[in-house]
PDB file of all heavy atoms in Angstrom:
ATOM      1  N   ALA X1210      71.717   9.729  24.213  1.00 98.00           N
ATOM      2  CA  ALA X1210      72.427   8.556  23.647  1.00 98.00           C
ATOM      3  C   ALA X1210      72.680   7.505  24.716  1.00 98.00           C
ATOM      4  O   ALA X1210      72.547   6.304  24.457  1.00 98.00           O
ATOM      5  CB  ALA X1210      73.738   9.010  23.015  1.00 98.00           C
ATOM      6  N   ARG X1211      73.084   7.915  25.902  1.00 98.00           N
ATOM      7  CA  ARG X1211      73.321   6.948  26.985  1.00 98.00           C
ATOM      8  C   ARG X1211      72.070   6.163  27.308  1.00 98.00           C
ATOM      9  O   ARG X1211      72.116   4.947  27.547  1.00 98.00           O
ATOM     10  CB  ARG X1211      73.841   7.686  28.220  1.00 98.00           C
ATOM     11  CG  ARG X1211      75.265   8.161  28.124  1.00 98.00           C
ATOM     12  CD  ARG X1211      75.767   8.664  29.458  1.00 98.00           C
ATOM     13  NE  ARG X1211      77.182   9.038  29.391  1.00 98.00           N
ATOM     14  CZ  ARG X1211      77.666  10.232  29.708  1.00 98.00           C
ATOM     15  NH1 ARG X1211      76.850  11.179  30.147  1.00 98.00           N
ATOM     16  NH2 ARG X1211      78.950  10.492  29.613  1.00 98.00           N
ATOM     17  N   GLN X1212      70.921   6.849  27.315  1.00 98.00           N
ATOM     18  CA  GLN X1212      69.671   6.164  27.599  1.00 98.00           C
ATOM     19  C   GLN X1212      69.359   5.131  26.503  1.00 98.00           C
ATOM     20  O   GLN X1212      68.971   4.008  26.789  1.00 98.00           O
ATOM     21  CB  GLN X1212      68.541   7.181  27.700  1.00 98.00           C
ATOM     22  CG  GLN X1212      67.226   6.605  28.176  1.00 98.00           C
ATOM     23  CD  GLN X1212      66.187   7.685  28.344  1.00 98.00           C
ATOM     24  OE1 GLN X1212      65.703   8.231  27.349  1.00 98.00           O
ATOM     25  NE2 GLN X1212      65.822   7.980  29.574  1.00 98.00           N
ATOM     26  N   ALA X1213      69.567   5.530  25.256  1.00 98.00           N
ATOM     27  CA  ALA X1213      69.286   4.611  24.156  1.00 98.00           C
ATOM     28  C   ALA X1213      70.247   3.425  24.174  1.00 98.00           C
ATOM     29  O   ALA X1213      69.826   2.273  23.934  1.00 98.00           O
ATOM     30  CB  ALA X1213      69.403   5.351  22.809  1.00 98.00           C
ATOM     31  N   LEU X1214      71.507   3.656  24.459  1.00 98.00           N
ATOM     32  CA  LEU X1214      72.481   2.560  24.528  1.00 98.00           C
ATOM     33  C   LEU X1214      72.105   1.586  25.640  1.00 98.00           C
ATOM     34  O   LEU X1214      72.208   0.353  25.469  1.00 98.00           O
ATOM     35  CB  LEU X1214      73.894   3.125  24.768  1.00 98.00           C
ATOM     36  CG  LEU X1214      74.567   3.752  23.555  1.00 98.00           C
ATOM     37  CD1 LEU X1214      75.783   4.581  24.000  1.00 98.00           C
ATOM     38  CD2 LEU X1214      74.994   2.681  22.543  1.00 98.00           C
ATOM     39  N   GLU X1215      71.728   2.129  26.790  1.00 98.00           N
ATOM     40  CA  GLU X1215      71.352   1.240  27.904  1.00 98.00           C
ATOM     41  C   GLU X1215      70.154   0.365  27.550  1.00 98.00           C
ATOM     42  O   GLU X1215      70.137  -0.840  27.830  1.00 98.00           O
ATOM     43  CB  GLU X1215      71.026   2.100  29.140  1.00 98.00           C
ATOM     44  CG  GLU X1215      70.659   1.268  30.365  1.00 98.00           C
ATOM     45  CD  GLU X1215      70.379   2.146  31.577  1.00 98.00           C
ATOM     46  OE1 GLU X1215      70.629   3.380  31.508  1.00 98.00           O
ATOM     47  OE2 GLU X1215      69.870   1.601  32.592  1.00 98.00           O
ATOM     48  N   ARG X1216      69.176   0.965  26.885  1.00 97.00           N
ATOM     49  CA  ARG X1216      67.996   0.196  26.506  1.00 97.00           C
ATOM     50  C   ARG X1216      68.314  -0.846  25.430  1.00 97.00           C
ATOM     51  O   ARG X1216      67.648  -1.892  25.368  1.00 97.00           O
ATOM     52  CB  ARG X1216      66.891   1.144  26.006  1.00 97.00           C
ATOM     53  CG  ARG X1216      66.311   2.014  27.104  1.00 97.00           C
ATOM     54  CD  ARG X1216      65.381   3.061  26.537  1.00 97.00           C
ATOM     55  NE  ARG X1216      64.729   3.846  27.583  1.00 97.00           N
ATOM     56  CZ  ARG X1216      64.026   4.943  27.345  1.00 97.00           C
ATOM     57  NH1 ARG X1216      63.893   5.400  26.083  1.00 97.00           N
ATOM     58  NH2 ARG X1216      63.464   5.601  28.330  1.00 97.00           N
ATOM     59  N   ALA X1217      69.301  -0.545  24.584  1.00 97.00           N
ATOM     60  CA  ALA X1217      69.720  -1.489  23.550  1.00 97.00           C
ATOM     61  C   ALA X1217      70.691  -2.527  24.084  1.00 97.00           C
ATOM     62  O   ALA X1217      71.079  -3.452  23.361  1.00 97.00           O
ATOM     63  CB  ALA X1217      70.347  -0.757  22.371  1.00 97.00           C
ATOM     64  N   GLN X1218      71.081  -2.374  25.362  1.00 97.00           N
ATOM     65  CA  GLN X1218      72.045  -3.267  25.990  1.00 97.00           C
ATOM     66  C   GLN X1218      73.371  -3.289  25.216  1.00 97.00           C
ATOM     67  O   GLN X1218      73.966  -4.337  24.976  1.00 97.00           O
ATOM     68  CB  GLN X1218      71.484  -4.668  26.173  1.00 97.00           C
ATOM     69  CG  GLN X1218      70.231  -4.698  27.064  1.00 97.00           C
ATOM     70  CD  GLN X1218      69.695  -6.094  27.278  1.00 97.00           C
ATOM     71  OE1 GLN X1218      69.946  -7.022  26.500  1.00 97.00           O
ATOM     72  NE2 GLN X1218      68.945  -6.296  28.356  1.00 97.00           N
ATOM     73  N   LEU X1219      73.816  -2.062  24.853  1.00 98.00           N
ATOM     74  CA  LEU X1219      75.061  -1.894  24.141  1.00 98.00           C
ATOM     75  C   LEU X1219      75.985  -0.974  24.923  1.00 98.00           C
ATOM     76  O   LEU X1219      75.537  -0.165  25.745  1.00 98.00           O
ATOM     77  CB  LEU X1219      74.817  -1.288  22.760  1.00 98.00           C
ATOM     78  CG  LEU X1219      74.033  -2.127  21.763  1.00 98.00           C
ATOM     79  CD1 LEU X1219      73.712  -1.289  20.514  1.00 98.00           C
ATOM     80  CD2 LEU X1219      74.791  -3.375  21.367  1.00 98.00           C
ATOM     81  N   ASN X1220      77.283  -1.102  24.649  1.00 98.00           N
ATOM     82  CA  ASN X1220      78.273  -0.205  25.206  1.00 98.00           C
ATOM     83  C   ASN X1220      78.603   0.888  24.202  1.00 98.00           C
ATOM     84  O   ASN X1220      78.464   0.678  22.983  1.00 98.00           O
ATOM     85  CB  ASN X1220      79.557  -0.968  25.565  1.00 98.00           C
ATOM     86  CG  ASN X1220      79.309  -1.996  26.634  1.00 98.00           C
ATOM     87  OD1 ASN X1220      78.717  -1.706  27.684  1.00 98.00           O
ATOM     88  ND2 ASN X1220      79.824  -3.212  26.407  1.00 98.00           N
ATOM     89  N   PRO X1221      79.069   2.031  24.644  1.00 98.00           N
ATOM     90  CA  PRO X1221      79.478   3.077  23.686  1.00 98.00           C
ATOM     91  C   PRO X1221      80.502   2.597  22.658  1.00 98.00           C
ATOM     92  O   PRO X1221      80.462   3.019  21.502  1.00 98.00           O
ATOM     93  CB  PRO X1221      80.070   4.163  24.588  1.00 98.00           C
ATOM     94  CG  PRO X1221      79.350   3.989  25.890  1.00 98.00           C
ATOM     95  CD  PRO X1221      79.165   2.513  26.035  1.00 98.00           C
ATOM     96  N   THR X1222      81.368   1.677  23.059  1.00 98.00           N
ATOM     97  CA  THR X1222      82.403   1.190  22.138  1.00 98.00           C
ATOM     98  C   THR X1222      81.826   0.251  21.076  1.00 98.00           C
ATOM     99  O   THR X1222      82.524  -0.127  20.142  1.00 98.00           O
ATOM    100  CB  THR X1222      83.507   0.455  22.909  1.00 98.00           C
ATOM    101  OG1 THR X1222      82.922  -0.524  23.786  1.00 98.00           O
ATOM    102  CG2 THR X1222      84.338   1.441  23.720  1.00 98.00           C
ATOM    103  N   ASP X1223      80.537  -0.095  21.176  1.00 98.00           N
ATOM    104  CA  ASP X1223      79.890  -0.893  20.134  1.00 98.00           C
ATOM    105  C   ASP X1223      79.486  -0.037  18.941  1.00 98.00           C
ATOM    106  O   ASP X1223      79.239  -0.576  17.874  1.00 98.00           O
ATOM    107  CB  ASP X1223      78.636  -1.589  20.685  1.00 98.00           C
ATOM    108  CG  ASP X1223      78.927  -2.666  21.693  1.00 98.00           C
ATOM    109  OD1 ASP X1223      79.937  -3.385  21.504  1.00 98.00           O
ATOM    110  OD2 ASP X1223      78.173  -2.792  22.686  1.00 98.00           O
ATOM    111  N   LEU X1224      79.424   1.274  19.133  1.00 98.00           N
ATOM    112  CA  LEU X1224      78.988   2.154  18.064  1.00 98.00           C
ATOM    113  C   LEU X1224      80.024   2.270  16.960  1.00 98.00           C
ATOM    114  O   LEU X1224      81.230   2.463  17.230  1.00 98.00           O
ATOM    115  CB  LEU X1224      78.678   3.552  18.600  1.00 98.00           C
ATOM    116  CG  LEU X1224      77.464   3.698  19.525  1.00 98.00           C
ATOM    117  CD1 LEU X1224      77.376   5.087  20.098  1.00 98.00           C
ATOM    118  CD2 LEU X1224      76.171   3.320  18.781  1.00 98.00           C
ATOM    119  N   ASP X1225      79.569   2.170  15.714  1.00 98.00           N
ATOM    120  CA  ASP X1225      80.438   2.333  14.563  1.00 98.00           C
ATOM    121  C   ASP X1225      80.369   3.743  13.963  1.00 98.00           C
ATOM    122  O   ASP X1225      81.303   4.164  13.275  1.00 98.00           O
ATOM    123  CB  ASP X1225      80.063   1.319  13.485  1.00 98.00           C
ATOM    124  CG  ASP X1225      80.204  -0.116  13.956  1.00 98.00           C
ATOM    125  OD1 ASP X1225      81.330  -0.528  14.259  1.00 98.00           O
ATOM    126  OD2 ASP X1225      79.161  -0.811  14.049  1.00 98.00           O
ATOM    127  N   LEU X1226      79.267   4.445  14.227  1.00 98.00           N
ATOM    128  CA  LEU X1226      79.085   5.773  13.644  1.00 98.00           C
ATOM    129  C   LEU X1226      78.126   6.565  14.521  1.00 98.00           C
ATOM    130  O   LEU X1226      77.164   6.009  15.064  1.00 98.00           O
ATOM    131  CB  LEU X1226      78.497   5.653  12.227  1.00 98.00           C
ATOM    132  CG  LEU X1226      78.237   6.920  11.446  1.00 98.00           C
ATOM    133  CD1 LEU X1226      79.500   7.702  11.182  1.00 98.00           C
ATOM    134  CD2 LEU X1226      77.517   6.596  10.122  1.00 98.00           C
ATOM    135  N   ILE X1227      78.400   7.863  14.638  1.00 98.00           N
ATOM    136  CA  ILE X1227      77.544   8.785  15.360  1.00 98.00           C
ATOM    137  C   ILE X1227      77.177   9.901  14.408  1.00 98.00           C
ATOM    138  O   ILE X1227      78.047  10.583  13.858  1.00 98.00           O
ATOM    139  CB  ILE X1227      78.238   9.377  16.595  1.00 98.00           C
ATOM    140  CG1 ILE X1227      78.560   8.297  17.620  1.00 98.00           C
ATOM    141  CG2 ILE X1227      77.368  10.471  17.244  1.00 98.00           C
ATOM    142  CD1 ILE X1227      79.435   8.776  18.755  1.00 98.00           C
ATOM    143  N   ILE X1228      75.859  10.062  14.159  1.00 98.00           N
ATOM    144  CA  ILE X1228      75.358  11.158  13.336  1.00 98.00           C
ATOM    145  C   ILE X1228      74.529  12.058  14.246  1.00 98.00           C
ATOM    146  O   ILE X1228      73.567  11.603  14.855  1.00 98.00           O
ATOM    147  CB  ILE X1228      74.495  10.656  12.174  1.00 98.00           C
ATOM    148  CG1 ILE X1228      75.202   9.555  11.374  1.00 98.00           C
ATOM    149  CG2 ILE X1228      74.113  11.808  11.253  1.00 98.00           C
ATOM    150  CD1 ILE X1228      74.318   8.912  10.308  1.00 98.00           C
ATOM    151  N   VAL X1229      74.876  13.331  14.302  1.00 98.00           N
ATOM    152  CA  VAL X1229      74.106  14.301  15.076  1.00 98.00           C
ATOM    153  C   VAL X1229      73.461  15.300  14.139  1.00 98.00           C
ATOM    154  O   VAL X1229      74.151  15.996  13.397  1.00 98.00           O
ATOM    155  CB  VAL X1229      74.988  15.029  16.103  1.00 98.00           C
ATOM    156  CG1 VAL X1229      74.182  16.148  16.785  1.00 98.00           C
ATOM    157  CG2 VAL X1229      75.532  14.068  17.136  1.00 98.00           C
ATOM    158  N   ALA X1230      72.144  15.330  14.145  1.00 98.00           N
ATOM    159  CA  ALA X1230      71.386  16.288  13.352  1.00 98.00           C
ATOM    160  C   ALA X1230      71.131  17.530  14.207  1.00 98.00           C
ATOM    161  O   ALA X1230      70.447  17.447  15.226  1.00 98.00           O
ATOM    162  CB  ALA X1230      70.070  15.683  12.895  1.00 98.00           C
ATOM    163  N   THR X1231      71.690  18.650  13.800  1.00 98.00           N
ATOM    164  CA  THR X1231      71.511  19.882  14.572  1.00 98.00           C
ATOM    165  C   THR X1231      71.831  21.091  13.729  1.00 98.00           C
ATOM    166  O   THR X1231      72.661  21.026  12.826  1.00 98.00           O
ATOM    167  CB  THR X1231      72.400  19.891  15.837  1.00 98.00           C
ATOM    168  OG1 THR X1231      72.044  21.028  16.640  1.00 98.00           O
ATOM    169  CG2 THR X1231      73.872  19.926  15.502  1.00 98.00           C
ATOM    170  N   ASP X1232      71.148  22.195  13.997  1.00 97.00           N
ATOM    171  CA  ASP X1232      71.548  23.480  13.454  1.00 97.00           C
ATOM    172  C   ASP X1232      71.858  24.462  14.587  1.00 97.00           C
ATOM    173  O   ASP X1232      71.956  25.665  14.367  1.00 97.00           O
ATOM    174  CB  ASP X1232      70.509  24.047  12.483  1.00 97.00           C
ATOM    175  CG  ASP X1232      69.124  24.164  13.071  1.00 97.00           C
ATOM    176  OD1 ASP X1232      68.909  23.699  14.211  1.00 97.00           O
ATOM    177  OD2 ASP X1232      68.231  24.713  12.400  1.00 97.00           O
ATOM    178  N   THR X1233      72.050  23.899  15.785  1.00 98.00           N
ATOM    179  CA  THR X1233      72.534  24.674  16.943  1.00 98.00           C
ATOM    180  C   THR X1233      73.729  23.924  17.532  1.00 98.00           C
ATOM    181  O   THR X1233      73.706  23.480  18.669  1.00 98.00           O
ATOM    182  CB  THR X1233      71.451  24.863  18.014  1.00 98.00           C
ATOM    183  OG1 THR X1233      71.009  23.555  18.459  1.00 98.00           O
ATOM    184  CG2 THR X1233      70.262  25.640  17.448  1.00 98.00           C
ATOM    185  N   PRO X1234      74.820  23.787  16.755  1.00 98.00           N
ATOM    186  CA  PRO X1234      75.950  22.978  17.216  1.00 98.00           C
ATOM    187  C   PRO X1234      76.717  23.641  18.333  1.00 98.00           C
ATOM    188  O   PRO X1234      76.593  24.845  18.591  1.00 98.00           O
ATOM    189  CB  PRO X1234      76.816  22.886  15.940  1.00 98.00           C
ATOM    190  CG  PRO X1234      76.523  24.143  15.191  1.00 98.00           C
ATOM    191  CD  PRO X1234      75.052  24.397  15.444  1.00 98.00           C
ATOM    192  N   ASP X1235      77.549  22.848  19.018  1.00 97.00           N
ATOM    193  CA  ASP X1235      78.428  23.429  20.033  1.00 97.00           C
ATOM    194  C   ASP X1235      79.345  24.480  19.405  1.00 97.00           C
ATOM    195  O   ASP X1235      79.593  25.531  19.993  1.00 97.00           O
ATOM    196  CB  ASP X1235      79.309  22.328  20.657  1.00 97.00           C
ATOM    197  CG  ASP X1235      78.547  21.461  21.630  1.00 97.00           C
ATOM    198  OD1 ASP X1235      77.299  21.541  21.673  1.00 97.00           O
ATOM    199  OD2 ASP X1235      79.202  20.686  22.361  1.00 97.00           O
ATOM    200  N   TYR X1236      79.874  24.163  18.235  1.00 97.00           N
ATOM    201  CA  TYR X1236      80.804  25.051  17.509  1.00 97.00           C
ATOM    202  C   TYR X1236      80.408  25.075  16.047  1.00 97.00           C
ATOM    203  O   TYR X1236      79.800  24.151  15.548  1.00 97.00           O
ATOM    204  CB  TYR X1236      82.238  24.564  17.620  1.00 97.00           C
ATOM    205  CG  TYR X1236      82.626  23.864  18.902  1.00 97.00           C
ATOM    206  CD1 TYR X1236      82.839  22.492  18.946  1.00 97.00           C
ATOM    207  CD2 TYR X1236      82.810  24.588  20.084  1.00 97.00           C
ATOM    208  CE1 TYR X1236      83.211  21.835  20.098  1.00 97.00           C
ATOM    209  CE2 TYR X1236      83.186  23.951  21.255  1.00 97.00           C
ATOM    210  CZ  TYR X1236      83.388  22.562  21.269  1.00 97.00           C
ATOM    211  OH  TYR X1236      83.749  21.934  22.402  1.00 97.00           O
ATOM    212  N   LEU X1237      80.860  26.145  15.335  1.00 95.00           N
ATOM    213  CA  LEU X1237      80.749  26.086  13.877  1.00 95.00           C
ATOM    214  C   LEU X1237      81.571  24.923  13.354  1.00 95.00           C
ATOM    215  O   LEU X1237      81.186  24.237  12.404  1.00 95.00           O
ATOM    216  CB  LEU X1237      81.260  27.396  13.270  1.00 95.00           C
ATOM    217  CG  LEU X1237      80.290  28.572  13.250  1.00 95.00           C
ATOM    218  CD1 LEU X1237      80.956  29.811  12.659  1.00 95.00           C
ATOM    219  CD2 LEU X1237      79.033  28.246  12.454  1.00 95.00           C
ATOM    220  N   SER X1238      82.710  24.687  13.948  1.00 96.00           N
ATOM    221  CA  SER X1238      83.572  23.556  13.613  1.00 96.00           C
ATOM    222  C   SER X1238      84.467  23.298  14.814  1.00 96.00           C
ATOM    223  O   SER X1238      84.881  24.266  15.487  1.00 96.00           O
ATOM    224  CB  SER X1238      84.440  23.914  12.384  1.00 96.00           C
ATOM    225  OG  SER X1238      85.290  22.856  12.051  1.00 96.00           O
ATOM    226  N   PRO X1239      84.702  22.058  15.203  1.00 97.00           N
ATOM    227  CA  PRO X1239      84.346  20.805  14.555  1.00 97.00           C
ATOM    228  C   PRO X1239      82.948  20.341  14.866  1.00 97.00           C
ATOM    229  O   PRO X1239      82.186  21.034  15.565  1.00 97.00           O
ATOM    230  CB  PRO X1239      85.382  19.834  15.119  1.00 97.00           C
ATOM    231  CG  PRO X1239      85.619  20.353  16.503  1.00 97.00           C
ATOM    232  CD  PRO X1239      85.567  21.841  16.379  1.00 97.00           C
ATOM    233  N   ALA X1240      82.632  19.153  14.384  1.00 98.00           N
ATOM    234  CA  ALA X1240      81.300  18.586  14.531  1.00 98.00           C
ATOM    235  C   ALA X1240      80.937  18.334  16.000  1.00 98.00           C
ATOM    236  O   ALA X1240      81.757  17.843  16.781  1.00 98.00           O
ATOM    237  CB  ALA X1240      81.160  17.296  13.736  1.00 98.00           C
ATOM    238  N   THR X1241      79.691  18.624  16.340  1.00 98.00           N
ATOM    239  CA  THR X1241      79.167  18.278  17.638  1.00 98.00           C
ATOM    240  C   THR X1241      79.211  16.768  17.885  1.00 98.00           C
ATOM    241  O   THR X1241      79.408  16.314  19.022  1.00 98.00           O
ATOM    242  CB  THR X1241      77.734  18.814  17.782  1.00 98.00           C
ATOM    243  OG1 THR X1241      77.753  20.241  17.710  1.00 98.00           O
ATOM    244  CG2 THR X1241      77.106  18.415  19.124  1.00 98.00           C
ATOM    245  N   ALA X1242      79.089  15.983  16.825  1.00 98.00           N
ATOM    246  CA  ALA X1242      79.163  14.508  16.950  1.00 98.00           C
ATOM    247  C   ALA X1242      80.497  14.085  17.535  1.00 98.00           C
ATOM    248  O   ALA X1242      80.561  13.069  18.239  1.00 98.00           O
ATOM    249  CB  ALA X1242      78.914  13.863  15.592  1.00 98.00           C
ATOM    250  N   SER X1243      81.568  14.828  17.248  1.00 98.00           N
ATOM    251  CA  SER X1243      82.861  14.469  17.804  1.00 98.00           C
ATOM    252  C   SER X1243      82.903  14.719  19.303  1.00 98.00           C
ATOM    253  O   SER X1243      83.491  13.931  20.059  1.00 98.00           O
ATOM    254  CB  SER X1243      83.969  15.273  17.103  1.00 98.00           C
ATOM    255  OG  SER X1243      84.105  14.862  15.762  1.00 98.00           O
ATOM    256  N   ALA X1244      82.252  15.795  19.754  1.00 98.00           N
ATOM    257  CA  ALA X1244      82.153  16.050  21.187  1.00 98.00           C
ATOM    258  C   ALA X1244      81.336  14.962  21.854  1.00 98.00           C
ATOM    259  O   ALA X1244      81.659  14.509  22.971  1.00 98.00           O
ATOM    260  CB  ALA X1244      81.553  17.429  21.435  1.00 98.00           C
ATOM    261  N   VAL X1245      80.277  14.513  21.196  1.00 98.00           N
ATOM    262  CA  VAL X1245      79.459  13.419  21.758  1.00 98.00           C
ATOM    263  C   VAL X1245      80.269  12.133  21.853  1.00 98.00           C
ATOM    264  O   VAL X1245      80.200  11.427  22.852  1.00 98.00           O
ATOM    265  CB  VAL X1245      78.191  13.221  20.864  1.00 98.00           C
ATOM    266  CG1 VAL X1245      77.435  11.964  21.311  1.00 98.00           C
ATOM    267  CG2 VAL X1245      77.279  14.431  20.951  1.00 98.00           C
TER     268      VAL X1245
END
C-alpha cells in the first residue's frame, strides 16, 4: 500500500476506505484492514 500511495502521490490520510482481500488474515477478528 505504501508503494501504491507513493506512486499515486497521495498520503495515507487521503484514503477514504481500505479493503483487504485475504483468507489468511492476521486474526479471525478483527479485520486485517484495521491493522493496515
Side-chain angles (χ1 to χ4, degrees):
R1211 285 190 176 124
Q1212 188 176 71
L1214 284 166
E1215 181 179 351
R1216 290 172 176 170
Q1218 299 183 337
L1219 295 172
N1220 296 312
T1222 51
D1223 292 322
L1224 292 174
D1225 299 297
L1226 179 63
I1227 297 171
I1228 309 173
V1229 174
T1231 187
D1232 55 354
T1233 60
D1235 284 12
Y1236 327 107
L1237 279 178
S1238 179
T1241 297
S1243 292
V1245 171

